[in-house]
Amino acid sequence: MRPEIPPSLIEEVRAARALVVLTGAGVSKESGIPTFRDALVGLWAKFDPEELATPEAFERDPAMVARWYDERRVKVAECRPNPGHLALADLERRILGQGGRFTLLTQNVDRLHQAAGSRRVVELHGALRVWRCSRCGEEREESGGPFAEYPPRCGCGGARRPGVVWFGEVLPRRAVDEAEAAVRDCDLFLSIGTSALVHPAAGLLHEARGRGASTAEINPERTPASDLVDWRVEGQSGEVLPDLVARAFPDPPPVENGPGRRTHPGRQVPP
Ligand code: OAD
């Protein structure tokens, strides 16, 4: 049965002038990527995060931690965006196309939003394919097969670590600044596919509410945010988002007609 989307939320999305979306691992689940906390199937159900996702764990056993992240990097590279990712990329184009502002804040490290065509993406927790030397700080993107050795070594001899945020680490300053600027003047904040447990990302919805934004959550389960939002849509993002965007923007998207000239089908633009 199709999840019910309140008409007032559809209207709010259609009229949004400054839309902020926060996504979590739930948005990538339909692409075959495990979430962190889904009981029994989540990554953390099998591993103790303190054993893996902390600077101390890397200090203690860099080879084991690097191998675990590199295996995830290689697996994720085979995954494709799902209809939820694609709908968010369409939503961005629609909001920008009507002169609005759009920011996609993601806790995900899989780059599937970018693969789906989203442009205004802020990676709050880094990216699996970015690896950074723990000695000289040099960062490089890795898109090939598994590393030949663990931990992989930098030219300076230092051990390279995944460019993701670990427990106990601060978020990238630029990402935090961009997120706070976007939340400061947003009129609609959508929290999608996140358990709303990990701060500071989980605090952004509170900040948006405090500034008067309307808020909505899309998640099959309840979270600590569920009682705070104006709308809660109980469903999977891969089902809800395409329906939400199609109903908010029923017209076909404007088509490119020459460099940067957007027209609607049927209305010919003189050459
Ligand atoms: P979690 O695993 O904590 O939560 C995933 C959420 O997605 C849950 O609330 C699920 O109910 C929901 N969900 C599952 N399937 C879904 C679907 N098809 N559509 C929509 N929602 C679905 O993942 P995050 O909230 O992303 O941080 O976790 C936040 C952070 O905790 C991660 O970025 C990571 C982790 O520690 C770091 O490692 C720093």
Side-chain angles (χ1 to χ4, degrees), residues 58-255:
F58 187 72
E59 188 71 33
R60 200 169 43 241
D61 189 342
M64 188 266 289
V65 173
R67 176 189 299 278
W68 187 69
Y69 275 93
D70 196 39
E71 284 169 1
R72 282 175 63 201
R73 172 183 70 85
V74 173
K75 271 201 200 91
V76 160
E78 291 154 13
C79 297
R80 293 288 162 265
N82 65 59
H85 293 108
L86 296 168
L88 286 174
D90 187 16
L91 180 58
E92 172 183 301
R93 287 187 291 269
R94 300 294 194 147
I95 297 291
L96 295 179
Q98 63 185 24
R101 290 189 300 285
F102 181 95
T103 308
L104 173 50
L105 309 174
T106 189
Q107 299 171 91
N108 299 341
V109 294
D110 55 37
R111 290 265 163 103
L112 287 182
H113 285 304
Q114 294 91 330
S118 290
R119 296 274 172 276
R120 307 289 174 94
V121 182
V122 177
E123 292 179 326
L124 297 173
H125 292 169
L128 271 177
R129 70 170 69 166
V130 173
W131 284 69
R132 180 169 71 243
C133 176
S134 48
R135 179 185 295 172
C136 72
E138 188 210 52
E139 274 195 359
R140 274 214 315 267
E141 297 227 351
E142 299 294 344
S143 52
F147 289 121
E149 59 167 345
Y150 294 110
R153 291 281 162 194
C154 172
C156 78
R160 297 172 72 204
R161 55 158 285 179
V164 300
V165 175
W166 280 331
F167 287 103
E169 290 187 320
V170 291
L171 274 58
R173 182 71 256 154
R174 185 156 165 264
V176 172
D177 291 345
E178 287 180 29
E180 287 179 349
V183 166
R184 234 191 315 275
D185 68 352
C186 77
D187 52 19
L188 179 58
F189 186 100
L190 305 181
S191 177
I192 307 173
T194 177
S195 57
L197 291 171
V198 175
H199 290 264
L204 294 168
L205 179 137
H206 299 261
E207 195 158 330
R209 285 181 75 239
R211 293 185 177 269
S214 302
T215 55
E217 178 179 59
I218 300 171
N219 193 320
E221 309 290 337
R222 294 187 66 78
T223 75
S226 300
D227 292 331
L228 302 171
V229 292
D230 300 302
W231 297 276
R232 196 180 124 59
V233 180
E234 192 170 312
Q236 306 205 52
S237 47
E239 283 177 69
V240 172
L241 286 171
D243 189 21
L244 173 60
V245 177
R247 291 165 70 187
F249 299 97
D251 301 333
V255 291

